[in-house]
Amino acid sequence: MKIAMWSGPRNLSTALMYAFGNRADFTAMDEPFYAPYLAETGLAHPMSGAIQAAHETDPAIVALDCADAGNRPHKYMKHMPHHMLDGFPLDWADDCVNIHLIRHPARVIASYAAKRENPTLDDIGYQQQATLFDRIGGVVIDSSDIRKNPEIALKKLCARIDLRFDPAMLSWPAGRRGFDGIWAAHWYGVVHQSTGFAGAEGRLPKLEGAAADLLDAALPLYEKLKSSQ
């Protein structure tokens, strides 16, 4: 089985990658289209130069890697919809179990803004994720359900995709993983300190100004995806 897990940033996606990557029967890939996305757009992201130097920037080569089954029974790929620019190959996803991970945009915006100033709707990926879901379909899961009760939520997810649940998904050793992208040094500090999923989230953060406007734009897209659970 090849799983393509699609989500925007700051969305529990790294912790979920660690959960699947902790299984002995899985290999994992971390945002393989990030370097091609940066090379194509020229956007000034943290560590942009280092990312392009360390990772493959040709989307056609990356697509071949995604299509490869790997050397274990299953393969988990963490992807972001906004990395899939027009012209980037997507046919490899036809052979995947496509899962769409969502999180309330108020939480995403507050978390993203703490790492990179003035995020835009393109940065947080809701429009691209909604468009991708319309194109390829798949399973929709909400990160809040995993945070509330990881075991129940992951057992339910595994049942939906006909995958044996493995208790190894519920905890992992602290620290980096060999499959982490080089950008982990900037983005993954909290998850590197973790040994499992954090507990249920509290109240939604209150946003003001441009952040509140961004929430207004993202919320209908999130709600559309959530209605497909």
Side-chain angles (χ1 to χ4, degrees), residues 2 12 20 38 51 95 123 128 179 190 202 225:
K2 289 185 293 184
L12 201 71
F20 277 90
L38 291 174
I51 291 167
D95 193 34
D123 290 327
Q128 298 94 325
F179 49 74
V190 172
L225 287 163

Side-chain angles (χ1 to χ4, degrees), residues 17 21-22 30-31 34 50 52 63 65 70 73 84 118 120 137 139-140 148 158 160 167-168 175 186 208 218:
M17 177 176 65
N22 203 47
D30 187 11
E31 298 180 36
Y34 191 14
Q52 293 175 67
D65 288 342
M84 304 307 299
N118 303 316
T120 67
V139 175
V140 177
K148 287 175 186 175
C158 287
R160 289 188 70 180
H186 180 82
E208 299 179 350

Side-chain angles (χ1 to χ4, degrees), residues 135-193:
R135 177 175 174 181
I136 66 175
V139 175
V140 177
I141 57 174
D142 196 308
S143 65
S144 66
D145 295 328
I146 301 173
R147 290 281 299 266
K148 287 175 186 175
N149 194 316
E151 184 170 359
I152 289 176
L154 292 178
K155 282 182 174 178
K156 182 178 178 180
L157 173 61
C158 287
R160 289 188 70 180
I161 63 175
D162 197 24
L163 175 71
R164 176 187 61 84
F165 172 74
D166 187 340
M169 300 173 72
L170 299 176
S171 61
W172 49 83
R176 293 195 58 165
R177 296 293 175 276
F179 49 74
D180 282 352
I182 194 173
W183 50 85
H186 180 82
W187 294 101
Y188 294 178
V190 172
V191 75
H192 284 165
Q193 297 174 34

